[in-house]
Amino acid sequence: MARLGGYDRSMGRTLFDKVWDLHAVRDLPGGATQLYVGLHLIHEVTSPQAFAELRARGLPVRRPDRTFATVDHIIPTDARRRPFADAAAEEMFQALERNVAECGITFLAPESGRQGIVHVVGPELGLTQPGMTIACGDSHTSTHGAFGAIAFGIGTSQIRDILATQTISLVRPRIRRIRVEGRLARGVCAKDVILAIIRTLGVKGGIGYAYEYAGPVVERFSVEERLTLTNMSIEGGARFGFINPDETIFVYLRGRPYTPQGPAFERAVAWWRSIASDPGARYDDHVSFDGGRLEPMLTWGITPAQSVRVTEGIPDPRALPQEEAASAAEALAYMEFRPGEKLLGKKIDVAFVGSCTNGRLSDLEEAARILKGRRVAPGVRALIVPGSEAVERAAHEAGLDEVFLAAGCQWRRPGCSMCLAMNPDRLSGNELCASSTNRNFKGRQGSPTGRTLLMSPAMVAAAAVEGRIVDVREYLG
Ligand code: SF4
């Protein structure tokens, strides 16, 4: 019986177990594994301290060729003039420029045509590939698992460790298979699926787990829809989320700048196929959802699990299990909502389409479909922020920017923008924002009293037009 890290290799294996075993350097005392990291993505916010520690110890970057940098969190999305008005942002940018230049790391710099949110540029450049281990100092690194990779967020000390050794100490998680059966109804999309999953399993339900998403709904999803799903794994507590690679992924990857070319691509596809979970693979847990019963979703509270179907009322904390009641009461007070109240018809102040969850071309297309020939309601500030320079370019070529501008939206340059508000894009006061992002925590969008409603890009666009929350299905006929 072959065992590694306590795992019985003679049984059918999941993709996660195969990729883990291929990257395992050795078992460490205490149950962790030293794991080789195939791709290390870095950005300006979490890397400066790691480089400083490396320098203090006189250590070089072990694999600069497997390390790629971009700038996303702090970059302004209106004027990108240097130096940035925000001195802290300018300092972080300069530190990144200096570090990548000194260490020989490829920098996907602004105006290179390749800059963007780290979880958008990795896939679109073909850096993200099936069977890889991928780390980044950002919790939404689970996004890259959509390609069949083990992808995970790390902290500053782990960035330092990977820079120095290209390895990391990690404990193998349990695997939960989440199948989404049936067929989604019109107007229901990947964002609704993941919000429904998180609502059911909770924000802590995935702690200690990697989520494997499967089933006919997931298999029919485009690559960009899959990325929305895996992106929010961490919002359900799962540090890792993955999907078995298939033709959809292979077609997407062919010809990307960093994917193997020519015969090497065919060999890669053969290998990528072989790492998919075996039909008889053993899972630690199984959950299934009936996709046909799902409806457009949106959050009402201060965690991504505090969501409802668009037609449903906000729950009464007194009717919830004890462990959820206190958080629900706190959320209602913060959001200024009442139990039983419906979000339909609720007036919004801001509409935001963007982020690593929903800032890709198909997300912008969905928003444009709603906004075309319509106007943003008076008093609503609507921002559309492409996830990358490539998305920005493609949207321009498709005329989407014209649609947004004609509708009265602000069409911005690529970056994280109002997802986190580490740049000038932020809510003010207690503004209510319909947002295509992934976190609705208190103050997340830059104002300590700002309020966020998470939903799909199409729902955001419909809310922008009406000036209030609407059921996007009304717009689809
Ligand atoms: S878009 Fe938001 S969640 Fe994604 S990397 Fe940027 S700040 Fe983080």
Side-chain angles (χ1 to χ4, degrees), residues 211-233:
Y211 282 175
E212 177 184 299
Y213 302 98
V217 167
V218 177
E219 285 159 18
R220 275 194 296 271
F221 273 160
S222 68
V223 171
E224 298 197 350
E225 290 171 308
R226 295 177 191 197
L227 288 162
T228 299
L229 209 56
T230 48
N231 172 271
M232 289 190 69
S233 306

Side-chain angles (χ1 to χ4, degrees), residues 291-311:
R293 294 173 67 95
L294 299 180
E295 292 185 43
M297 301 282 296
L298 76 168
T299 60
W300 56 269
I302 51 173
T303 80
Q306 290 172 329
S307 65
V308 284
R309 298 186 300 279
V310 65
T311 51

Side-chain angles (χ1 to χ4, degrees), residues 73 117 119 138 140 355-356 416 419-420 438 444:
H73 283 58
I117 304 171
H119 311 310
D138 187 278
H140 294 92
S355 85
C356 59
C416 295
C419 173
L420 179 71
N438 51 39
R444 169 77 175 179

Side-chain angles (χ1 to χ4, degrees), residues 17-48:
D17 291 318
K18 294 181 194 182
V19 177
W20 183 281
D21 291 350
L22 283 165
H23 291 81
V25 178
R26 60 185 171 131
D27 290 340
L28 298 169
T33 303
Q34 184 183 11
L35 208 63
Y36 189 78
V37 175
L39 175 66
H40 187 194
L41 299 167
I42 61 174
H43 63 90
E44 75 284 11
V45 175
T46 53
S47 67

Side-chain angles (χ1 to χ4, degrees), residues 65 270 299 326 415 418:
D65 59 322
T299 60
M418 204 184 269

Side-chain angles (χ1 to χ4, degrees), residues 10-297:
S10 64
M11 292 186 291
R13 294 193 294 160
T14 65
L15 173 143
F16 197 95
D17 291 318
K18 294 181 194 182
V19 177
W20 183 281
D21 291 350
L22 283 165
H23 291 81
V25 178
R26 60 185 171 131
D27 290 340
L28 298 169
T33 303
Q34 184 183 11
L35 208 63
Y36 189 78
V37 175
L39 175 66
H40 187 194
L41 299 167
I42 61 174
H43 63 90
E44 75 284 11
V45 175
T46 53
S47 67
Q49 183 66 24
F51 278 103
E53 291 185 28
L54 212 63
R55 215 168 271 129
R57 294 174 193 216
L59 295 170
V61 173
R62 180 66 185 255
R63 290 294 304 265
D65 59 322
R66 299 307 310 152
T67 311
F68 291 82
T70 189
V71 60
D72 49 13
H73 283 58
I74 56 91
I75 192 161
T77 61
D78 44 9
R80 286 173 156 189
R81 265 187 308 278
R82 301 282 302 279
F84 300 139
D86 178 347
E90 178 62 29
E91 198 180 319
M92 279 188 247
F93 191 98
Q94 284 186 20
L96 186 67
E97 280 183 313
R98 204 168 45 244
N99 290 328
V100 296
E102 277 178 20
C103 301
I105 291 167
T106 300
F107 184 24
L108 309 169
E111 314 309 338
S112 66
R114 295 184 167 189
Q115 175 267 339
I117 304 171
V118 66
H119 311 310
V120 176
V121 295
E124 71 189 10
L125 289 173
L127 287 166
T128 303
Q129 294 173 21
M132 275 188 170
T133 47
I134 302 174
C136 175
D138 187 278
S139 48
H140 294 92
T141 308
S142 57
T143 311
H144 306 259
F147 286 75
I150 295 182
F152 49 95
I154 52 176
T156 295
S157 57
Q158 293 174 311
I159 298 172
R160 175 203 61 202
D161 295 347
I162 295 175
L163 287 173
T165 69
Q166 203 61 24
T167 67
I168 187 170
S169 163
L170 219 54
V171 174
R172 187 195 293 258
R174 288 170 287 171
I175 315 289
R176 172 176 290 144
R177 189 176 213 215
I178 300 176
R179 283 184 61 86
V180 188
E181 309 287 359
R183 187 176 278 277
L184 298 183
R186 197 161 149 73
V188 180
C189 62
K191 185 64 160 283
D192 305 310
V193 172
I194 191 64
L195 284 174
I197 289 172
I198 296 170
R199 177 183 179 176
T200 304
L201 300 178
V203 288
K204 295 183 181 163
I207 293 175
Y209 280 97
Y211 282 175
E212 177 184 299
Y213 302 98
V217 167
V218 177
E219 285 159 18
R220 275 194 296 271
F221 273 160
S222 68
V223 171
E224 298 197 350
E225 290 171 308
R226 295 177 191 197
L227 288 162
T228 299
L229 209 56
T230 48
N231 172 271
M232 289 190 69
S233 306
I234 188 64
E235 302 308 330
R239 195 175 178 189
F240 317 83
F242 67 96
I243 298 169
N244 286 302
D246 60 8
E247 285 306 315
T248 303
I249 293 290
F250 308 147
V251 168
Y252 176 94
L253 283 175
R254 186 184 288 278
R256 301 261 160 192
Y258 286 95
T259 45
Q261 307 291 320
F265 184 80
E266 307 309 328
R267 286 196 297 276
V269 168
W271 184 69
W272 293 339
R273 274 187 219 287
S274 76
I275 56 155
S277 297
D278 296 328
R282 286 258 314 239
Y283 295 88
D284 299 288
D285 193 27
H286 291 266
V287 184
S288 84
F289 289 79
D290 181 353
R293 294 173 67 95
L294 299 180
E295 292 185 43
M297 301 282 296

